[in-house]
Amino acid sequence: FKKGVHTLTGSVLAPDACTFVTADTSLIAGDASSTSRVRVSLSLPQDSKVCLRVPTQMTFSTSIAAPAGVSIEATVNGTSASTTNL
């Protein structure tokens, strides 16, 4: 977190080296019973090319303006994923 901007980086295991990862980040506003949170939505579309099926770590990086201390949640292809804060 620097000057109001969160920069989120990480990696995800893709089924092969031909798959690419895209990251979309959004700020989900809180209400009276919950606080705001950042959602990182990762997408790994199925590749239609012929590619050797060797699992490969793919990296991503995305930034978003949000308050300090906001919680972060992640999804991969619409499914909840675990995160690690370092």
Side-chain angles (χ1 to χ4, degrees):
F1 180 76
K2 188 173 186 179
K3 296 183 180 181
V5 176
H6 294 266
T7 300
L8 308 163
T9 59
S11 64
V12 62
L13 190 61
D16 55 55
C18 297
T19 301
F20 61 93
V21 60
T22 57
D24 181 44
T25 311
S26 55
L27 181 62
I28 313 276
D31 56 24
S33 63
S34 66
T35 58
S36 297
R37 61 193 185 281
V38 169
R39 176 177 294 149
V40 180
S41 300
L42 302 177
S43 177
L44 286 91
Q46 287 204 332
D47 189 45
S48 60
K49 301 175 198 160
V50 175
C51 192
L52 184 61
R53 308 274 302 164
V54 176
T56 305
Q57 287 283 41
M58 305 299 282
T59 60
F60 66 89
S61 181
T62 185
S63 297
I64 189 168
V70 68
S71 64
I72 298 170
E73 61 183 42
T75 63
V76 177
N77 292 338
T79 302
S80 292
S82 62
T83 62
T84 302
N85 295 331
L86 300 176

Coordinates of all heavy atoms in Angstrom, one line a residue:
F1 N 0.9 -1.2 0.0 CA 0.0 0.0 0.0 C 0.9 1.2 0.0 O 1.7 1.4 0.9 CB -0.9 0.0 1.2 CG -1.8 1.2 1.3 CD1 -2.9 1.2 0.5 CD2 -1.6 2.2 2.2 CE1 -3.8 2.3 0.6 CE2 -2.4 3.2 2.3 CZ -3.6 3.3 1.5
K2 N 0.7 2.1 -1.0 CA 1.5 3.3 -1.1 C 0.7 4.4 -1.7 O 0.1 4.2 -2.8 CB 2.8 3.0 -1.9 CG 3.8 4.1 -1.9 CD 5.0 3.7 -2.6 CE 6.1 4.8 -2.5 NZ 7.3 4.4 -3.1
K3 N 0.6 5.5 -1.0 CA -0.1 6.7 -1.5 C -1.6 6.3 -2.0 O -2.0 6.8 -3.0 CB 0.6 7.4 -2.6 CG 2.0 7.9 -2.2 CD 2.7 8.6 -3.3 CE 4.0 9.2 -2.8 NZ 4.7 9.9 -3.8
G4 N -2.3 5.5 -1.2 CA -3.7 5.2 -1.5 C -3.9 4.1 -2.5 O -5.0 3.9 -2.9
V5 N -2.8 3.5 -3.0 CA -2.9 2.5 -4.0 C -2.4 1.1 -3.5 O -1.3 1.1 -3.0 CB -2.2 2.9 -5.3 CG1 -2.2 1.8 -6.4 CG2 -2.7 4.2 -5.9
H6 N -3.2 0.1 -3.7 CA -2.7 -1.3 -3.4 C -2.2 -1.9 -4.7 O -2.9 -1.9 -5.7 CB -3.9 -2.1 -2.9 CG -4.5 -1.6 -1.6 ND1 -4.1 -2.2 -0.4 CD2 -5.4 -0.7 -1.3 CE1 -4.7 -1.6 0.6 NE2 -5.5 -0.7 0.1
T7 N -1.0 -2.4 -4.6 CA -0.5 -3.2 -5.8 C -0.5 -4.6 -5.3 O 0.2 -5.0 -4.4 CB 0.9 -2.7 -6.2 OG1 0.8 -1.3 -6.5 CG2 1.5 -3.5 -7.3
L8 N -1.2 -5.5 -6.1 CA -1.4 -6.9 -5.7 C -0.7 -7.7 -6.8 O -0.9 -7.6 -7.9 CB -2.8 -7.2 -5.6 CG -3.7 -6.3 -4.7 CD1 -5.1 -6.4 -5.0 CD2 -3.4 -6.6 -3.3
T9 N 0.3 -8.5 -6.3 CA 1.0 -9.4 -7.2 C 0.9 -10.9 -6.7 O 0.7 -11.1 -5.5 CB 2.5 -9.1 -7.3 OG1 3.1 -9.1 -6.0 CG2 2.7 -7.7 -7.9
G10 N 1.0 -11.8 -7.6 CA 1.0 -13.2 -7.1 C 1.2 -14.1 -8.3 O 1.6 -13.7 -9.4
S11 N 0.9 -15.4 -8.0 CA 1.0 -16.4 -9.1 C -0.1 -17.4 -8.9 O -0.6 -17.6 -7.8 CB 2.4 -17.1 -9.0 OG 2.6 -17.8 -7.8
V12 N -0.4 -18.1 -10.0 CA -1.4 -19.1 -10.0 C -0.9 -20.3 -10.8 O -0.1 -20.0 -11.8 CB -2.7 -18.5 -10.5 CG1 -2.7 -18.0 -11.9 CG2 -3.9 -19.5 -10.3
L13 N -1.2 -21.5 -10.5 CA -0.8 -22.6 -11.3 C -1.7 -22.9 -12.4 O -2.9 -23.1 -12.3 CB -0.7 -23.9 -10.4 CG -0.1 -25.1 -11.0 CD1 1.4 -24.8 -11.3 CD2 -0.2 -26.3 -10.0
A14 N -1.2 -22.7 -13.6 CA -2.0 -22.9 -14.9 C -1.7 -24.3 -15.4 O -0.7 -24.9 -15.1 CB -1.5 -21.9 -15.9
P15 N -2.6 -24.9 -16.1 CA -2.5 -26.3 -16.6 C -1.4 -26.4 -17.6 O -0.8 -27.5 -17.8 CB -3.8 -26.6 -17.3 CG -4.5 -25.3 -17.6 CD -3.9 -24.3 -16.6
D16 N -0.9 -25.4 -18.3 CA 0.2 -25.5 -19.2 C 0.7 -24.1 -19.5 O 0.2 -23.1 -19.1 CB -0.3 -26.1 -20.6 CG -1.5 -25.4 -21.2 OD1 -1.4 -24.2 -21.4 OD2 -2.5 -26.1 -21.4
A17 N 1.9 -24.0 -20.2 CA 2.5 -22.7 -20.5 C 1.8 -21.9 -21.5 O 2.1 -20.7 -21.7 CB 4.0 -23.0 -20.9
C18 N 0.9 -22.5 -22.3 CA 0.1 -21.7 -23.3 C -1.0 -20.9 -22.7 O -1.6 -20.0 -23.3 CB -0.4 -22.7 -24.4 SG 0.9 -23.5 -25.3
T19 N -1.4 -21.3 -21.5 CA -2.5 -20.5 -20.8 C -2.0 -19.2 -20.3 O -0.9 -19.1 -19.8 CB -3.0 -21.4 -19.6 OG1 -3.5 -22.6 -20.1 CG2 -4.2 -20.7 -18.9
F20 N -2.8 -18.2 -20.4 CA -2.4 -16.9 -19.8 C -3.4 -16.5 -18.7 O -4.6 -17.0 -18.7 CB -2.4 -15.8 -20.9 CG -3.7 -15.6 -21.6 CD1 -4.6 -14.6 -21.2 CD2 -4.1 -16.4 -22.7 CE1 -5.8 -14.4 -21.8 CE2 -5.3 -16.1 -23.4 CZ -6.1 -15.2 -22.9
V21 N -3.0 -15.6 -17.8 CA -3.8 -15.2 -16.7 C -4.1 -13.7 -16.9 O -3.2 -12.9 -17.2 CB -3.1 -15.5 -15.3 CG1 -1.8 -14.8 -15.2 CG2 -4.1 -15.1 -14.2
T22 N -5.3 -13.3 -16.6 CA -5.7 -11.9 -16.6 C -6.2 -11.6 -15.2 O -6.9 -12.4 -14.6 CB -6.7 -11.5 -17.7 OG1 -7.9 -12.3 -17.5 CG2 -6.1 -11.7 -19.1
A23 N -6.0 -10.4 -14.7 CA -6.4 -10.0 -13.4 C -7.3 -8.8 -13.5 O -6.9 -7.8 -14.1 CB -5.3 -9.7 -12.4
D24 N -8.5 -8.8 -12.9 CA -9.4 -7.7 -12.9 C -9.6 -7.4 -11.4 O -10.0 -8.3 -10.6 CB -10.7 -8.0 -13.6 CG -11.7 -6.9 -13.6 OD1 -11.2 -5.7 -13.8 OD2 -12.9 -7.1 -13.3
T25 N -9.4 -6.1 -11.0 CA -9.6 -5.7 -9.6 C -10.7 -4.8 -9.4 O -10.9 -3.8 -10.2 CB -8.2 -5.1 -9.1 OG1 -7.2 -5.9 -9.5 CG2 -8.2 -5.0 -7.6
S26 N -11.5 -5.0 -8.4 CA -12.6 -4.1 -8.1 C -12.8 -3.8 -6.6 O -12.4 -4.6 -5.8 CB -13.9 -4.6 -8.7 OG -14.2 -5.9 -8.2
L27 N -13.3 -2.6 -6.3 CA -13.5 -2.3 -4.9 C -15.0 -2.5 -4.6 O -15.9 -2.0 -5.3 CB -13.2 -0.8 -4.6 CG -13.4 -0.3 -3.2 CD1 -12.5 -1.1 -2.2 CD2 -13.1 1.2 -3.1
I28 N -15.3 -3.4 -3.7 CA -16.7 -3.7 -3.3 C -17.0 -2.9 -2.1 O -16.4 -3.0 -1.0 CB -16.8 -5.2 -2.9 CG1 -16.2 -6.1 -3.9 CG2 -18.3 -5.6 -2.6 CD1 -16.9 -6.4 -5.2
A29 N -18.0 -2.0 -2.2 CA -18.4 -1.1 -1.1 C -19.0 -1.8 0.0 O -19.8 -2.8 -0.3 CB -19.3 0.0 -1.7
G30 N -18.7 -1.4 1.2 CA -19.4 -2.1 2.4 C -20.7 -1.4 2.7 O -21.1 -0.4 2.1
D31 N -21.4 -2.0 3.6 CA -22.7 -1.4 4.1 C -22.6 -1.3 5.6 O -21.6 -1.5 6.2 CB -23.9 -2.2 3.6 CG -23.9 -3.7 3.9 OD1 -23.2 -4.0 4.9 OD2 -24.5 -4.5 3.3
A32 N -23.8 -1.2 6.2 CA -23.8 -1.0 7.7 C -23.3 -2.3 8.4 O -22.8 -2.2 9.5 CB -25.3 -0.8 8.1
S33 N -23.4 -3.5 7.8 CA -22.9 -4.7 8.4 C -21.6 -5.2 7.9 O -21.1 -6.3 8.4 CB -24.0 -5.8 8.3 OG -24.2 -6.1 6.9
S34 N -21.0 -4.6 6.9 CA -19.7 -5.1 6.4 C -18.8 -3.9 6.0 O -19.3 -2.8 5.7 CB -20.0 -6.1 5.2 OG -20.5 -5.4 4.1
T35 N -17.6 -4.2 5.8 CA -16.6 -3.2 5.4 C -16.3 -3.4 3.9 O -16.6 -4.4 3.3 CB -15.3 -3.3 6.2 OG1 -14.8 -4.6 6.1 CG2 -15.6 -3.0 7.7
S36 N -15.7 -2.4 3.4 CA -15.3 -2.4 2.0 C -14.2 -3.5 1.8 O -13.5 -3.8 2.8 CB -14.7 -1.1 1.5 OG -15.7 -0.1 1.5
R37 N -14.1 -4.1 0.6 CA -13.1 -5.1 0.3 C -12.7 -5.0 -1.1 O -13.4 -4.5 -2.0 CB -13.5 -6.5 0.7 CG -14.7 -6.9 -0.1 CD -15.4 -8.2 0.5 NE -16.4 -8.7 -0.3 CZ -17.7 -8.3 -0.3 NH1 -18.0 -7.2 0.4 NH2 -18.6 -8.8 -1.1
V38 N -11.5 -5.5 -1.4 CA -10.9 -5.5 -2.8 C -11.1 -6.9 -3.3 O -10.8 -7.9 -2.6 CB -9.5 -5.1 -2.8 CG1 -8.9 -5.4 -4.2 CG2 -9.3 -3.6 -2.5
R39 N -11.6 -7.1 -4.5 CA -11.8 -8.4 -5.1 C -10.8 -8.4 -6.3 O -10.9 -7.6 -7.2 CB -13.2 -8.7 -5.5 CG -13.3 -10.0 -6.3 CD -14.7 -10.4 -6.7 NE -15.5 -10.6 -5.5 CZ -16.8 -10.3 -5.4 NH1 -17.4 -9.8 -6.4 NH2 -17.4 -10.6 -4.3
V40 N -10.0 -9.5 -6.3 CA -9.1 -9.7 -7.4 C -9.7 -10.9 -8.2 O -9.8 -12.0 -7.6 CB -7.7 -10.0 -7.0 CG1 -6.8 -10.3 -8.2 CG2 -7.1 -8.9 -6.2
S41 N -10.2 -10.7 -9.4 CA -10.8 -11.8 -10.2 C -9.8 -12.2 -11.2 O -9.4 -11.5 -12.1 CB -12.0 -11.3 -10.8 OG -13.0 -10.9 -9.9
L42 N -9.2 -13.4 -11.1 CA -8.3 -14.0 -12.0 C -9.0 -14.9 -13.0 O -9.9 -15.6 -12.7 CB -7.2 -14.8 -11.3 CG -6.4 -14.1 -10.3 CD1 -5.5 -15.1 -9.6 CD2 -5.7 -12.9 -10.8
S43 N -8.6 -14.7 -14.3 CA -9.2 -15.5 -15.3 C -8.2 -16.3 -16.1 O -7.2 -15.7 -16.5 CB -10.0 -14.6 -16.3 OG -10.5 -15.4 -17.4
L44 N -8.3 -17.6 -16.2 CA -7.4 -18.5 -17.0 C -8.3 -19.2 -18.0 O -8.8 -20.3 -17.7 CB -6.8 -19.5 -16.0 CG -5.7 -19.0 -15.1 CD1 -6.2 -18.6 -13.8 CD2 -4.6 -20.0 -15.0
P45 N -8.5 -18.6 -19.2 CA -9.3 -19.2 -20.2 C -8.7 -20.5 -20.7 O -7.5 -20.6 -20.7 CB -9.5 -18.1 -21.3 CG -8.3 -17.2 -21.0 CD -8.0 -17.3 -19.6
Q46 N -9.5 -21.4 -21.1 CA -9.0 -22.7 -21.6 C -8.4 -22.4 -23.0 O -8.9 -21.6 -23.8 CB -10.1 -23.7 -21.8 CG -10.6 -24.3 -20.5 CD -11.2 -25.6 -20.7 OE1 -11.8 -25.9 -21.7 NE2 -11.1 -26.4 -19.7
D47 N -7.2 -22.9 -23.2 CA -6.4 -22.7 -24.4 C -6.9 -23.7 -25.5 O -7.0 -24.8 -25.2 CB -4.9 -22.8 -24.1 CG -4.1 -22.4 -25.3 OD1 -4.4 -21.3 -25.8 OD2 -3.1 -23.1 -25.6
S48 N -7.0 -23.2 -26.7 CA -7.5 -24.1 -27.8 C -6.3 -24.6 -28.6 O -6.5 -25.3 -29.5 CB -8.5 -23.3 -28.6 OG -7.9 -22.2 -29.2
K49 N -5.1 -24.1 -28.3 CA -3.9 -24.5 -29.1 C -3.4 -25.9 -28.5 O -3.7 -26.3 -27.4 CB -2.8 -23.5 -28.9 CG -3.2 -22.1 -29.4 CD -2.0 -21.2 -29.1 CE -2.5 -19.8 -29.1 NZ -1.6 -18.9 -28.4
V50 N -2.6 -26.5 -29.4 CA -2.0 -27.7 -28.9 C -0.8 -27.3 -28.1 O 0.0 -26.5 -28.5 CB -1.5 -28.6 -30.2 CG1 -0.7 -29.8 -29.7 CG2 -2.6 -29.0 -31.0
C51 N -0.8 -27.8 -26.8 CA 0.3 -27.4 -25.9 C 0.6 -28.6 -25.0 O -0.4 -29.3 -24.5 CB -0.2 -26.2 -25.1 SG 1.1 -25.4 -24.2
L52 N 1.8 -28.8 -24.6 CA 2.2 -29.8 -23.7 C 1.6 -29.5 -22.3 O 1.8 -28.4 -21.8 CB 3.7 -29.8 -23.6 CG 4.3 -30.9 -22.7 CD1 3.9 -32.3 -23.2 CD2 5.8 -30.8 -22.7
R53 N 0.9 -30.4 -21.8 CA 0.2 -30.2 -20.5 C 1.1 -30.4 -19.3 O 1.1 -31.4 -18.7 CB -1.0 -31.2 -20.4 CG -2.0 -31.2 -21.5 CD -3.1 -30.3 -21.5 NE -3.9 -30.3 -20.4 CZ -4.7 -29.4 -20.1 NH1 -4.8 -28.3 -20.8 NH2 -5.5 -29.5 -19.0
V54 N 1.9 -29.4 -19.1 CA 2.8 -29.3 -17.9 C 2.4 -28.1 -17.1 O 2.4 -27.0 -17.5 CB 4.3 -29.2 -18.4 CG1 5.2 -29.0 -17.2 CG2 4.7 -30.3 -19.3
P55 N 1.9 -28.4 -15.8 CA 1.5 -27.3 -15.0 C 2.6 -26.2 -14.9 O 3.8 -26.5 -14.7 CB 1.2 -27.9 -13.6 CG 0.9 -29.3 -14.0 CD 1.8 -29.7 -15.2
T56 N 2.2 -24.9 -15.0 CA 3.2 -23.8 -15.0 C 2.7 -22.7 -14.1 O 1.5 -22.3 -14.2 CB 3.3 -23.3 -16.5 OG1 3.6 -24.4 -17.3 CG2 4.3 -22.2 -16.6
Q57 N 3.6 -22.1 -13.3 CA 3.3 -21.0 -12.5 C 3.2 -19.7 -13.4 O 4.1 -19.4 -14.1 CB 4.3 -20.7 -11.4 CG 4.3 -21.7 -10.3 CD 3.2 -21.5 -9.3 OE1 2.1 -21.1 -9.6 NE2 3.5 -21.7 -8.0
M58 N 2.0 -19.0 -13.3 CA 1.8 -17.8 -14.1 C 1.7 -16.7 -13.1 O 1.0 -16.8 -12.1 CB 0.6 -17.9 -14.9 CG 0.6 -19.1 -15.9 SD 1.9 -19.2 -17.1 CE 1.3 -18.0 -18.2
T59 N 2.4 -15.6 -13.3 CA 2.3 -14.4 -12.4 C 1.3 -13.4 -12.9 O 1.0 -13.3 -14.1 CB 3.7 -13.8 -12.3 OG1 4.2 -13.3 -13.5 CG2 4.7 -14.8 -11.7
F60 N 0.9 -12.6 -12.0 CA 0.0 -11.4 -12.3 C 0.3 -10.3 -11.4 O 0.9 -10.4 -10.3 CB -1.5 -11.8 -12.1 CG -1.9 -12.1 -10.7 CD1 -2.3 -11.2 -9.9 CD2 -1.8 -13.4 -10.2 CE1 -2.7 -11.4 -8.6 CE2 -2.1 -13.7 -8.9 CZ -2.6 -12.7 -8.1
S61 N -0.1 -9.1 -11.8 CA 0.1 -7.9 -11.0 C -1.1 -6.9 -11.4 O -1.4 -6.8 -12.6 CB 1.4 -7.2 -11.3 OG 1.6 -6.1 -10.4
T62 N -1.7 -6.3 -10.4 CA -2.8 -5.4 -10.6 C -2.8 -4.3 -9.5 O -2.2 -4.6 -8.4 CB -4.1 -6.1 -10.7 OG1 -5.1 -5.2 -11.1 CG2 -4.5 -6.8 -9.4
S63 N -3.3 -3.2 -9.8 CA -3.3 -2.1 -8.8 C -4.7 -1.5 -8.7 O -5.5 -1.5 -9.7 CB -2.3 -1.0 -9.1 OG -1.0 -1.5 -9.1
I64 N -5.0 -1.0 -7.5 CA -6.3 -0.3 -7.3 C -6.2 0.7 -6.1 O -5.5 0.4 -5.2 CB -7.5 -1.4 -7.0 CG1 -8.8 -0.7 -7.0 CG2 -7.2 -2.1 -5.7 CD1 -10.0 -1.7 -7.0
A65 N -6.9 1.8 -6.3 CA -7.0 2.8 -5.2 C -8.1 2.3 -4.2 O -9.2 2.0 -4.6 CB -7.3 4.1 -5.8
A66 N -7.7 2.2 -3.0 CA -8.6 1.8 -1.9 C -8.0 2.2 -0.6 O -6.8 2.5 -0.4 CB -8.8 0.3 -2.0
P67 N -8.9 2.2 0.5 CA -8.4 2.6 1.8 C -7.4 1.6 2.4 O -7.4 0.5 2.0 CB -9.7 2.6 2.7 CG -10.8 2.5 1.7 CD -10.3 2.0 0.5
A68 N -6.5 2.1 3.3 CA -5.6 1.3 4.0 C -6.4 0.2 4.8 O -7.4 0.5 5.3 CB -4.7 2.1 4.9
G69 N -5.8 -1.0 4.9 CA -6.4 -2.0 5.8 C -7.6 -2.7 5.2 O -8.2 -3.5 5.9
V70 N -8.0 -2.4 4.0 CA -9.1 -3.1 3.3 C -8.8 -4.6 3.2 O -7.7 -5.0 3.0 CB -9.4 -2.4 2.0 CG1 -8.4 -2.7 1.0 CG2 -10.8 -2.8 1.5
S71 N -9.8 -5.4 3.3 CA -9.6 -6.9 3.2 C -9.6 -7.2 1.7 O -10.1 -6.5 0.8 CB -10.7 -7.7 3.9 OG -11.9 -7.4 3.3
I72 N -8.9 -8.3 1.4 CA -8.7 -8.7 0.0 C -9.3 -10.1 -0.2 O -9.0 -11.0 0.6 CB -7.2 -8.7 -0.4 CG1 -6.7 -7.2 -0.3 CG2 -7.0 -9.2 -1.8 CD1 -5.2 -7.1 -0.4
E73 N -10.0 -10.3 -1.3 CA -10.5 -11.6 -1.6 C -10.2 -11.9 -3.0 O -10.0 -11.0 -3.8 CB -12.0 -11.7 -1.4 CG -12.9 -10.8 -2.2 CD -14.4 -10.9 -1.9 OE1 -14.7 -11.0 -0.7 OE2 -15.1 -10.9 -2.9
A74 N -10.1 -13.2 -3.4 CA -9.7 -13.5 -4.7 C -10.6 -14.6 -5.3 O -11.1 -15.5 -4.5 CB -8.2 -14.0 -4.8
T75 N -10.8 -14.6 -6.6 CA -11.4 -15.7 -7.3 C -10.6 -16.1 -8.5 O -9.9 -15.3 -9.1 CB -12.9 -15.3 -7.8 OG1 -12.7 -14.2 -8.7 CG2 -13.7 -14.8 -6.6
V76 N -10.7 -17.4 -8.9 CA -10.1 -17.9 -10.1 C -11.2 -18.5 -10.9 O -11.8 -19.4 -10.4 CB -9.0 -18.9 -9.8 CG1 -8.4 -19.5 -11.1 CG2 -7.9 -18.3 -8.9
N77 N -11.4 -18.0 -12.1 CA -12.5 -18.4 -12.9 C -13.8 -18.5 -12.2 O -14.6 -19.4 -12.3 CB -12.2 -19.7 -13.6 CG -11.1 -19.6 -14.6 OD1 -10.8 -18.6 -15.1 ND2 -10.4 -20.8 -14.9
G78 N -14.1 -17.5 -11.3 CA -15.3 -17.4 -10.6 C -15.4 -18.2 -9.3 O -16.4 -18.1 -8.5
T79 N -14.4 -19.0 -9.0 CA -14.4 -19.8 -7.7 C -13.5 -19.1 -6.7 O -12.4 -18.7 -7.0 CB -13.9 -21.2 -8.1 OG1 -14.7 -21.8 -9.0 CG2 -13.9 -22.1 -6.8
S80 N -13.9 -19.1 -5.4 CA -13.1 -18.5 -4.4 C -11.7 -19.1 -4.3 O -11.6 -20.3 -4.5 CB -13.8 -18.6 -3.0 OG -15.0 -17.8 -3.0
A81 N -10.7 -18.3 -4.0 CA -9.4 -18.8 -3.9 C -8.8 -18.3 -2.6 O -9.2 -17.2 -2.1 CB -8.6 -18.4 -5.1
S82 N -7.8 -19.0 -2.1 CA -7.1 -18.5 -0.9 C -6.0 -17.5 -1.3 O -5.5 -17.5 -2.4 CB -6.5 -19.7 -0.1 OG -5.5 -20.3 -0.9
T83 N -5.7 -16.6 -0.3 CA -4.6 -15.6 -0.5 C -3.6 -15.7 0.6 O -4.0 -16.1 1.7 CB -5.2 -14.2 -0.7 OG1 -5.9 -13.9 0.6 CG2 -6.2 -14.1 -1.8
T84 N -2.5 -15.1 0.4 CA -1.5 -15.0 1.4 C -0.9 -13.6 1.4 O -0.5 -13.1 0.4 CB -0.3 -16.0 1.2 OG1 -0.8 -17.3 1.2 CG2 0.7 -15.9 2.3
N85 N -1.0 -12.9 2.6 CA -0.5 -11.5 2.7 C 0.9 -11.6 3.1 O 1.2 -12.2 4.2 CB -1.3 -10.7 3.6 CG -2.8 -10.5 3.1 OD1 -3.0 -10.5 1.9 ND2 -3.7 -10.4 4.1
L86 N 1.8 -10.9 2.4 CA 3.2 -10.9 2.8 C 3.6 -9.4 3.1 O 3.1 -8.5 2.6 CB 4.1 -11.4 1.7 CG 3.9 -12.9 1.4 CD1 4.8 -13.3 0.2 CD2 4.1 -13.8 2.6

